[in-house]
Amino acid sequence: MGNDLKAALFNPLQFASITARNRVVMAPMVTNFASSFDEVTDHQVAYYAERARGGVGTIVVEASPISTRGRISSHQIGSYDDRFIPGLTRLAGAIQDAGAVALLQLCHGGPKILTPAGIRTESVSPVAVREGDVPRALSVAEFRDVRRQFVLAAQRAQKAGFDGIELHAAHFYLLSASLSPYTNRRTDEYGGSVVNRTRLSCEVIEDIKSTLSPDYPVWVRIHACEALDPGLSLVEGRQVASILEAAGADAIHVSAYTLPINKKIKGTVNIRVGAMPLKDTPPGPFLDYAAAIKQAVNIPVIAVAKLDDWIIASRALVDGKCDMVALARQLLCDPYWARKVQSGLSNDIVHCKYCMTCHTAQQRGEAVRCAQNYNLFGKPIYKDT
Ligand SMILES: Cc1cc2nc3c(=O)[nH]c(=O)nc-3n(C[C@H](O)[C@H](O)[C@H](O)COP(=O)(O)O)c2cc1C
């Protein structure tokens, strides 16, 4: 039984034109390790290479802003200019050399963008997701600019050798703000019905596929549902996934917005629920959402959130709840999670304590830290080693 369970994690999976060596995905995590000019740095390459060597099959590289306005913090990896291509090329190559598929997550921060003097947040409707920060609603003409910026960013990812991209349509960034009835109050063809709210994401997928190639893999990360009023219901989340599949999406990565937020993040959050399991959250809080989405589509579904117990992760695959499992914080703590599980050394895994040190640093715009692993750029260093 143990071996069957393990085999489920380490079966290869083909999506679009590529094959991942196993079902383990490194989920995207903004690290703020890029330079002050948003360029990939050497230590950032080392950080990702170590996690690819640690055995994951696919790495979704952290959210990369598609425009200068779309940035959510400084020191993000830019994809909004050709000058980023050499750094992106080194990064994709280092991940692939270590045997993992390299995807780049593309993002416009929308209502959560950086707001230096003179810059206002922008979204689909003037609904705040941060305390006192009511965004400006973008026009349809501005949506066309955003679509073009997504395509140019995807082209840069492709030129740099990334195997594909993931669109960040979760966590109330621009595409997510369009999908959610909480943030989308438009009355034109981009608001109202689920089809209308999904329109912007569909157009971005279609533009990318028609400009790059229908085979270029495009994953989309969405909320399955939101504990908000009005929020995306699970029924709507399934419809969104199915509409995105019809538009050409190659996989759906299932996050959600139903968990209590981290109380350490003060003064920045209006919405009192989030996507990040806390210490007390039971494992796999979104697995049943992934299963519900999986029933609505024929493309691979990726589950995420507190899946560091390999038996729970494998069982989700065996039970058909998802096709891949993504881990985020656990891989900061122990980059070799997958390799250790595969070689029967799961007792040696240093487990994430979900203390939120990493997330708190990231939300403050600081370089991500891990309270347990003092060296994120190579072989881990733990307190008593
Ligand atoms: C420091 C940090 C940065 C994150 N950055 C991103 C991001 O760039 N894009 C994204 O979709 N999710 C981001 N997330 C959310 C994770 O991808 C993941 O959904 C979440 O942490 C739950 O998974 P886990 O329990 O395995 O950590 C981030 C999470 C953390 C802790």
Side-chain angles (χ1 to χ4, degrees):
M1 179 49 119
N3 281 344
D4 287 352
L5 266 184
K6 202 180 286 178
L9 268 178
F10 295 99
N11 276 334
L13 180 75
Q14 182 161 6
F15 53 90
S17 50
I18 49 178
T19 305
R21 64 183 163 188
N22 62 41
R23 307 303 179 100
V24 186
V25 175
M26 178 177 174
M29 274 180 291
V30 165
T31 55
N32 297 325
F33 293 160
S35 76
S36 1
F37 302 103
D38 298 345
E39 283 147 349
V40 170
T41 53
D42 289 346
H43 55 280
Q44 196 157 34
V45 173
Y47 158 80
Y48 279 105
E50 196 64 15
R51 279 144 189 89
R53 279 194 290 275
V56 298
T58 302
I59 291 186
V60 184
V61 168
E62 62 196 87
S64 168
I66 54 149
S67 62
T68 44
R69 289 181 85 92
R71 296 185 306 159
I72 56 173
S73 57
S74 51
H75 302 271
Q76 277 190 274
I77 297 176
S79 55
Y80 54 82
D81 192 283
D82 286 351
R83 74 186 157 86
F84 298 120
I85 295 174
L88 290 170
T89 305
R90 280 193 302 129
L91 179 54
I95 292 170
Q96 290 157 344
D97 286 350
V101 168
L103 305 182
L104 179 64
Q105 189 184 54
L106 300 183
C107 181
H108 184 302
K112 291 162 90 173
I113 56 176
L114 270 180
T115 48
I119 299 283
R120 245 182 100 184
T121 46
E122 40 197 52
S123 186
V124 292
S125 301
V127 177
V129 300
R130 292 194 299 216
E131 220 74 67
D133 191 354
V134 179
R136 178 179 74 80
L138 293 171
S139 66
V140 172
E142 287 173 308
F143 283 164
R144 279 196 284 275
D145 291 340
V146 168
R147 285 165 55 186
R148 194 177 48 82
Q149 288 157 352
F150 268 108
V151 171
L152 288 171
Q155 277 182 317
R156 291 183 190 109
Q158 188 186 38
K159 270 192 195 142
F162 274 91
D163 297 296
I165 55 119
E166 175 172 275
L167 297 178
H168 198 346
H171 309 165
F172 292 104
Y173 299 109
L174 186 66
L175 296 179
S176 167
S178 178
L179 294 176
S180 173
Y182 184 88
T183 35
N184 186 340
R185 308 288 170 97
R186 293 177 83 99
T187 51
D188 62 5
E189 70 270 32
Y190 288 93
S193 67
V194 180
V195 170
N196 282 359
R197 281 184 270 130
T198 313
R199 192 177 305 283
L200 184 58
S201 297
C202 288
E203 287 174 341
V204 171
I205 296 170
E206 286 157 2
D207 291 351
I208 290 173
K209 292 272 180 175
S210 63
T211 312
L212 277 70
S213 147
D215 288 343
Y216 194 66
V218 175
W219 289 16
V220 189
R221 194 173 222 211
I222 61 167
H223 295 155
C225 51
E226 297 160 355
L228 295 169
D229 188 14
L232 196 80
S233 67
L234 191 53
V235 171
E236 285 187 336
R238 286 160 54 98
Q239 289 167 355
V240 165
S242 158
I243 295 167
L244 294 170
E245 177 181 20
D250 295 291
I252 304 289
H253 194 163
V254 182
S255 187
Y257 226 73
T258 60
L259 300 170
I261 59 155
N262 177 11
K263 292 202 182 68
K264 286 185 201 155
I265 309 293
K266 293 210 168 70
T268 54
V269 186
N270 243 2
I271 296 175
R272 293 288 152 208
V273 290
M276 193 80 57
L278 303 178
K279 202 180 294 184
D280 300 333
T281 313
F286 300 156
L287 277 178
D288 287 338
Y289 303 149
I293 298 288
K294 187 161 164 53
Q295 284 167 5
V297 297
N298 294 306
I299 48 178
V301 165
I302 301 103
V304 71
K306 227 174 180 179
L307 295 174
D308 59 293
D309 179 333
W310 76 266
I311 295 180
I312 291 176
S314 309
R315 172 122 359 247
L317 293 166
V318 170
D319 291 347
K321 292 187 171 183
C322 56
D323 302 282
M324 300 177 107
V325 288
L327 284 75
R329 291 165 289 178
Q330 174 57 47
L331 295 175
L332 291 174
C333 184
D334 190 341
Y336 312 137
W337 184 92
R339 216 166 71 189
K340 287 179 179 174
V341 172
Q342 190 165 22
S343 41
L345 297 172
S346 54
N347 287 343
D348 292 351
I349 291 171
V350 180
H351 281 274
C352 175
K353 294 186 173 152
Y354 298 103
C355 68
M356 302 299 266
T357 300
C358 55
H359 189 243
T360 304
Q362 183 258 322
Q363 291 281 306
R364 289 186 181 141
E366 297 163 10
V368 159
R369 297 183 296 282
C370 173
Q372 297 196 83
N373 174 7
Y374 299 159
N375 181 24
L376 295 177
F377 307 122
K379 202 169 172 305
I381 299 175
Y382 299 111
K383 199 170 174 196
D384 296 318
T385 55

